[in-house]
Amino acid sequence: MAVHVVDHPLAKHLVNSLRDRTTRPEAFRQMSRTLSTMLVFEATRGIRCDSRVVETPLAETVGDFLGQGLAVVPVLRAGLAMLESALILFPDVAVGYIGLERDHNTAVAHSYYCKLPNLADRFTLCVDPMLATGGSASQAVALLKANGAKPVVFVSVISAPEGIERLQRDHPDVEIYTAAVDDRLNELKYIVPGLGDFGDRLYGTM
């Protein structure tokens, strides 16, 4: 399905501020929260609404209200940076966690943790700031689908063409929301120009 690039001027400003190697962890965290809020807002446009009667101080009218809950599943650990935005925006949020760790030699991820809520009838977001090779994203989405998630939307800060291609090939029904599509992966499977290791920069563990 479609790749949606959130290209609002503020989103562009935030992405490039995150890229800056001189950005300190505290500023990195704040900008990540703001950008994640923008991404989650856009990625949830397809959430179901139900209509019901509302009585205002002046009249009776019919209005739309959220008709289903949201499930947000960050891929640990960097995906945690995107969780708070969904918790602030939505009144009914169930949270799960998927732990996938990439082998730096093979670039293949292995699962070390998976804890998911009941995903039935919830609009499900899988969030991971960096969509690089697409291997971790594809594994995470497969786990969500196996546990009843439908639909699943993938949300990232920065994406590589290789990761988008892999996720679309493995899960053509999953829409992707991102703030930037970068040039390529380097020989170490890092996104170029990218912003380095998101988790390390977020938590100051470089």
Side-chain angles (χ1 to χ4, degrees), residues 16-59:
N16 289 303
S17 298
L18 291 173
R19 292 189 196 278
D20 189 339
R21 65 185 301 173
T22 67
T23 299
R24 302 292 300 163
E26 62 272 18
F28 194 94
R29 288 190 288 269
Q30 178 59 51
M31 289 187 289
S32 296
R33 283 193 294 270
T34 303
L35 182 56
S36 295
T37 300
M38 298 178 72
L39 288 165
V40 169
F41 187 83
E42 291 296 326
T44 50
R45 284 186 176 274
I47 199 167
R48 190 180 72 242
C49 284
D50 294 335
S51 297
R52 68 173 188 255
V53 175
V54 180
E55 189 173 333
T56 81
L58 300 176

